[in-house]
Amino acid sequence: MRALMLIAPLLVFVLLSFVIPIASMLFRSVENGIVSETLPLTVEALDGWDADGDQLPDEAIYEAFVRDMVVAIEAKKHTRLGSRLNYEETGMSSMFRKSGRALKKLNPDTDGPFKDQLIDIHDGFGELQTWRVIKTHSVEVTNGYFLNAIDMQRTHEGAVSQPEDKQILVKLFIRTMFMSLIITGSCILLAYPISYLLATLPMRVSNLLMILVLLPFWTSLLVRTSAWKVMLQQQGVINDTLVWLGLVSDSARLIIINNQIGTIIAMTHILLPFMILPMYSVMQTIPVTYTRAAKSMGATNWTTFWRIYFPQSIPGIGAGSILVFILSIGYYITPEIVGGTKGVFISNRIAYHISSSLNWGLAAALGTILLGVVLILYWAYDKIVGIDNVKLG
Amino acid sequence: MTDLSNDAAFVEFQRVQKSYDGEILVVKDLNLSMPKGEFLTMLGPSGSGKTTCLMMLAGFETATHGEIMLDGQPINNIPPHKRGIGMVFQNYALFPHMTVAENLSFPLEVRKIGKSDREAKVKRALDMVQMGDFGNRRPAQLSGGQQQRIALARALVFEPELVLMDEPLGALDKQLREHMQFEITRLAHELGITTVYVTHDQTEALTMSDRVAVFDDGRIQQLAPPDQLYEEPENSFVAQFIGENNTLEGTVKSINGNTCIVTLDDGSEIDAMPVNVSRPGERTTVSIRPERVEFNKDRLHSDAHTLKAQVKEFIYMGDVFRFRMSVAGNDDFIVKTRNAPDAVRLKPGEEIEIGWLTQDCRALDA
Ligand SMILES: Nc1ncnc2c1ncn2[C@@H]1O[C@H](COP(=O)(O)OP(=O)(O)O)[C@@H](O)[C@H]1O
Ligand SMILES: [Mg+2]
């Protein structure tokens, strides 16, 4: 009981900062109460309407709609509904906003019939698609956001692909995975020799080296990324140096920013310490007597490394790779700054939906998929390498 | 026992010095010469430079000064993997990601020995240490003693002429250690390999070795066969370090050939053999083994000097009696007698006179 009390602050913290946000994200990715809450009568009335047919809804549905809207406009909820439906069908938002003023003047009890009046107020009310969208998205728990997240759409005919020009998310997912793999790979290649040196050099030298490794942590992430922007641009330090050395001609300066190369370079640099630290801590525990034993038995330096040292350092590579890969598939700032349009990640899209388009449901669905991918990778890694082989210290 | 006069030295340290930091010498002027087939133990307290010597011989550290020769060739420039020296480490250093058989097979593989040959040799080596059935286990699945055997087999499987062992039994319990001591010496002699064995356990050194090199402060204090080391220590460090020992402090009064008279600090005089003293007036520490102290006057020389002793404690140990006495101001003077039928059991408080044969009392450096 006392032990529980001791960890209570931690428990509360983890609950507040980790469990609750994730739970709320999972919830948001399927939650869709807004249509049935704002238009309860309409949704009920639309129940009997055949969305697959070519007949507009009848007068009863229009009347129900007017009743719902008058209440909604009073409560200023109609624009929110418009925005929600606009995610599915462009133009809905402006239609709800524009028709609000006129609808407000209608008295549901006396001003009927409404069908023609509504079509007069806005052409949209005379289109089948409007009512189909309302009907399709009236469910309270929807798979619509997830379908959107994989470039599909929930329609009255079931799940169908988005039109070609709106398909972007799957491509982004694939790009995110692919680039994260490349970043993880480059981190492994760069971090391995550094960690090896850290683990084998005399204490005094390796401490100095360790400070250099940790130095980036003392600088703001934003500053480091911006520095890369300066370094990588076409008139930047790297291009200038290459031109000066005569390796590239002035007219053919390398384009290494605002694309995937820029993102890969900057993120490899930024995530490198997260690869080095676990690798180093594993390598540090490999006793020097193993390599000495191998050499005394006649193994050359290379054989000793490859057959004795390397296999024992694999847990470090595994731990570092998981860490870097998971960090990089969710990375946001660096791709945003140096990635241009070609080098952005899925997380930049999530950020866009959270702060610009305000489509939080879609953002949550994308986040949930990302979480799922991480868990699947983690599981696969556990099956293949064994998670208890991962040592962080 | 090896014939030491056969002086074709197999391993030779010539004036070897070693410093890790360029300031402090951890090995100072080491000279050592070993014939083929010898079992030599480096014995010394922790930090005395034993491991450093072994590592220089194996090629993992380079000597700051001096030359190390193996079979007549200087080896300072030969990399470790070409020296063909088998090694056993204190923590065994068995490769955890390989099975026992793979561990043993490794030195054969890197020597490009064919598969069938390899398997035969691995099997023979495992049988040699009575571990024939354990080839498929991982090191982590073995007990400490079993790992020790595997480490031994692995160091021997490629038939090196020289094997180095750095405190190989340090992690085992007493009984297992005694058994392995026997096992290691048996194998070393059967296979005729030259062995350099490092330990800080003097019993181990005395029971196993042809010769023992006692290390202290980066120097060999004495290099001698075990009996000589015990009975004729050349300085007070060796006398103190090997076996149980009584010391008394005093000043040399006179020297006459093989005997000298030492005046102890309380004024009494004793006979001693001058070992590290050369002239009257020198300070000295005399050393007497507990079992060489005699309190039966009949057995002593008639004109031998004797000392007054008061019995402080009697300890019955079964095969021997052990007395703690106060002698010439030293309250920790130990006397041991065999539990023979005529042995006297002195009681605490009794006052007696003790003496010894002159050659058993060695006047060493102060
Ligand atoms: N790699 C090293 N770097 C610096 N000093 C060392 C190193 N190895 C040993 N020493 C020092 O050298 C001295 C002798 O050590 P060592 O040969 O291991 O002694 P032993 O094996 O007799 O206990 C010790 O004082 C130790 O601190
Ligand atoms: Mg040592």
Side-chain angles (χ1 to χ4, degrees):
Chain A
M1 194 56 216
R2 181 174 295 179
L4 208 64
M5 297 273 284
L6 273 174
I7 61 159
L10 178 69
L11 219 59
V12 170
F13 178 75
V14 167
L15 206 70
L16 288 180
S17 67
F18 196 71
V19 177
I20 292 178
I22 286 183
S24 115
M25 178 183 79
L26 293 175
F27 177 66
R28 257 178 208 285
S29 65
V30 293
E31 188 269 343
N32 188 42
I34 183 164
V35 181
S36 51
E37 267 165 34
T38 320
L39 306 173
L41 300 172
T42 319
V43 168
E44 208 184 317
L46 275 172
D47 225 13
W49 178 62
D50 175 19
D52 296 331
D54 51 4
Q55 293 292 313
L56 277 175
D58 53 22
E59 175 57 28
I61 293 175
Y62 279 91
E63 192 197 317
F65 182 73
V66 171
R67 283 184 189 280
D68 284 337
M69 279 305 273
V70 169
V71 178
I73 291 164
E74 192 68 30
K76 296 199 165 59
K77 277 160 85 183
H78 67 297
T79 48
R80 271 181 50 212
L81 178 65
S83 308
R84 164 69 187 95
L85 294 174
N86 201 57
Y87 304 148
E88 312 297 340
E89 183 70 30
T90 340
M92 293 286 255
S93 178
S94 77
M95 183 174 109
F96 272 73
R97 215 166 350 95
K98 283 182 186 155
S99 54
R101 191 175 298 260
L103 279 169
K104 205 165 103 180
K105 297 198 185 96
L106 293 178
N107 183 336
D109 294 326
T110 55
D111 291 352
F114 294 105
K115 188 167 179 173
D116 291 332
Q117 291 187 53
L118 278 181
I119 294 173
D120 258 359
I121 291 172
H122 199 287
D123 289 347
F125 292 117
E127 279 168 27
L128 277 171
Q129 184 60 15
T130 304
W131 300 102
R132 282 175 179 161
V133 167
I134 293 176
K135 183 170 167 137
T136 330
H137 294 281
S138 60
V139 286
E140 283 188 34
V141 174
T142 181
N143 60 359
Y145 293 124
F146 277 100
L147 290 174
N148 284 353
I150 55 170
D151 287 337
M152 293 178 80
Q153 239 180 332
R154 183 186 166 94
T155 68
H156 63 284
E157 290 162 317
V160 298
S161 290
Q162 294 266 31
E164 240 9 89
D165 59 325
K166 288 182 83 178
Q167 291 186 10
I168 173 175
L169 295 172
V170 170
K171 210 173 89 191
L172 266 180
F173 264 117
I174 291 172
R175 181 200 286 168
T176 305
M177 295 293 146
F178 179 69
M179 286 178 59
S180 298
L181 270 181
I182 292 184
I183 290 162
T184 310
S186 357
C187 278
I188 293 176
L189 290 182
L190 291 176
Y192 199 92
I194 299 174
S195 316
Y196 180 81
L197 284 180
L198 278 172
T200 50
L201 281 179
M203 206 49 156
R204 210 141 33 105
V205 189
S206 73
N207 278 346
L208 195 72
L209 205 60
M210 187 52 117
I211 290 177
L212 294 182
V213 168
L214 295 178
L215 205 58
F217 282 135
W218 302 348
T219 330
S220 147
L221 173 63
L222 213 55
V223 172
R224 274 177 285 154
T225 307
S226 312
W228 274 113
K229 194 143 189 141
V230 177
M231 296 273 287
L232 294 173
Q233 59 189 288
Q234 276 193 285
Q235 303 302 323
V237 181
I238 290 179
N239 265 312
D240 281 352
T241 313
L242 288 176
V243 169
W244 182 72
L245 288 172
L247 292 176
V248 294
S249 76
D250 201 10
S251 55
R253 284 171 175 259
L254 303 177
I255 303 171
I256 44 180
I257 190 122
N258 294 335
N259 59 13
Q260 306 194 357
I261 298 175
T263 307
I264 289 169
I265 293 177
M267 280 186 58
T268 301
H269 165 247
I270 283 160
L271 294 177
L272 200 54
F274 296 99
M275 185 66 90
I276 293 176
L277 293 177
M279 270 192 185
Y280 164 67
S281 71
V282 168
M283 287 181 181
Q284 214 190 9
T285 61
I286 303 175
V288 66
T289 49
Y290 286 148
T291 47
R292 289 186 165 178
K295 284 184 195 168
S296 78
M297 286 181 257
T300 56
N301 288 343
W302 170 252
T303 313
T304 304
F305 170 76
W306 184 244
R307 299 225 17 222
I308 306 301
Y309 195 88
F310 181 74
Q312 298 191 61
S313 64
I314 287 178
I317 301 179
S321 301
I322 292 195
L323 201 60
V324 168
F325 190 81
I326 289 177
L327 279 174
S328 69
I329 60 175
Y331 228 67
Y332 162 69
I333 291 187
T334 306
E336 183 74 22
I337 294 177
V338 299
T341 46
K342 295 199 199 84
V344 294
F345 279 15
I346 195 70
S347 49
N348 301 93
R349 202 69 197 165
I350 296 178
Y352 164 78
H353 283 301
I354 285 181
S355 56
S356 300
S357 85
L358 300 181
N359 189 350
W360 286 21
L362 179 54
L366 290 170
T368 305
I369 291 176
L370 214 47
L371 180 67
V373 169
V374 169
L375 291 178
I376 288 170
L377 284 172
Y378 190 82
W379 173 83
Y381 186 90
D382 186 33
K383 283 278 155 207
I384 298 163
V385 186
I387 215 72
D388 36 342
N389 277 337
V390 173
K391 287 188 224 154
L392 284 171
Chain B
M1 288 285 142
T2 321
D3 181 7
L4 296 180
S5 65
N6 172 10
D7 59 359
F10 185 56
V11 177
E12 203 170 0
F13 284 77
Q14 295 173 348
R15 321 211 55 176
V16 171
Q17 297 187 338
K18 171 69 185 176
S19 167
Y20 284 106
D21 53 7
E23 283 174 31
I24 305 160
L25 287 177
V26 297
V27 173
K28 302 165 185 163
D29 194 32
L30 182 82
N31 292 288
L32 179 71
S33 165
M34 280 177 79
K36 224 182 183 119
E38 188 180 35
F39 195 113
L40 182 132
T41 298
M42 294 178 170
L43 172 68
S46 172
S48 55
K50 309 179 298 285
T51 301
T52 305
C53 286
L54 220 54
M55 290 303 143
M56 287 192 288
L57 188 50
F60 299 118
E61 297 290 351
T62 46
T64 315
H65 269 295
E67 199 72 76
I68 301 174
M69 318 277 277
L70 183 62
D71 211 4
Q73 302 290 318
I75 54 169
N76 283 3
N77 291 321
I78 305 178
H81 68 272
K82 296 218 174 108
R83 295 192 182 189
I85 298 176
M87 288 193 79
V88 181
F89 295 87
Q90 175 167 7
N91 58 6
Y92 317 132
L94 296 176
F95 306 137
H97 59 293
M98 296 183 181
T99 64
V100 164
E102 285 165 347
N103 262 283
L104 262 69
S105 173
F106 182 78
L108 304 173
E109 278 167 46
V110 299
R111 286 187 162 65
K112 310 225 158 34
I113 291 174
K115 189 161 191 285
S116 53
D117 251 11
R118 241 168 32 214
E119 280 167 4
K121 279 175 196 269
V122 167
K123 185 170 167 2
R124 202 171 340 129
L126 282 176
D127 287 340
M128 186 174 75
V129 292
Q130 290 112 43
M131 293 286 291
D133 299 334
F134 293 83
N136 291 324
R137 300 258 193 113
R138 298 248 165 196
Q141 297 168 311
L142 301 178
S143 73
Q146 291 171 327
Q147 291 186 27
Q148 221 296 313
R149 284 161 190 272
I150 300 302
L152 191 61
R154 192 179 64 174
L156 298 176
V157 69
F158 61 100
E159 293 158 22
E161 288 188 275
L162 175 62
V163 176
L164 313 181
M165 308 192 191
D166 192 355
E167 313 212 7
L169 306 180
L172 302 185
D173 59 56
K174 188 163 177 290
Q175 208 158 10
L176 207 51
R177 201 158 64 215
E178 277 166 12
H179 181 72
M180 286 306 295
Q181 286 168 7
F182 168 74
E183 210 66 341
I184 289 175
T185 33
R186 181 182 63 84
L187 280 172
H189 285 132
E190 260 175 32
L191 303 173
I193 43 182
T194 315
T195 313
V196 182
Y197 189 96
V198 164
T199 182
H200 61 257
D201 178 345
Q202 42 141 329
T203 323
E204 205 164 286
L206 294 182
T207 55
M208 297 176 79
S209 329
D210 295 333
R211 281 196 301 164
V212 178
V214 180
F215 269 67
D216 185 45
D217 192 27
R219 285 179 206 279
I220 295 184
Q221 301 291 334
Q222 187 170 358
L223 172 60
D227 51 349
Q228 198 180 340
L229 206 61
Y230 184 80
E231 286 164 31
E232 298 164 26
E234 278 171 7
N235 55 44
S236 42
F237 175 80
V238 176
Q240 281 290 10
F241 194 72
I242 309 281
E244 209 168 6
N245 184 54
N246 293 306
T247 55
L248 297 169
E249 313 256 326
T251 314
V252 179
K253 184 181 173 202
S254 66
I255 302 184
N256 181 13
N258 267 343
T259 57
C260 67
I261 294 178
V262 175
T263 313
L264 299 181
D265 293 348
D266 70 341
S268 49
E269 291 184 350
I270 56 167
D271 304 306
M273 191 169 98
V275 179
N276 270 346
V277 292
S278 50
R279 52 192 169 73
E282 252 182 285
R283 292 288 299 169
T284 181
T285 303
V286 299
S287 131
I288 312 113
R289 296 288 179 199
E291 68 276 13
R292 297 293 170 98
V293 177
E294 193 57 74
F295 47 80
N296 186 341
K297 264 200 162 167
D298 305 340
R299 295 212 199 119
L300 285 175
H301 224 265
S302 54
D303 56 354
H305 284 101
T306 55
L307 287 178
K308 281 196 166 39
Q310 189 184 32
V311 180
K312 291 276 180 197
E313 200 177 352
F314 166 66
I315 303 156
Y316 179 83
M317 297 175 74
D319 54 345
V320 292
F321 297 163
R322 204 180 133 94
F323 305 98
R324 190 166 63 79
M325 301 183 178
S326 172
V327 177
N330 179 354
D331 277 345
D332 279 319
F333 199 94
I334 303 294
V335 177
K336 275 190 203 163
T337 59
R338 203 163 58 82
N339 185 357
D342 59 341
V344 198
R345 300 191 185 191
L346 300 169
K347 291 186 186 57
E350 258 181 90
E351 302 237 351
I352 55 161
E353 286 198 29
I354 58 167
W356 41 75
L357 299 179
T358 307
Q359 68 264 29
D360 287 335
C361 176
R362 300 170 68 82
L364 304 170
D365 49 308

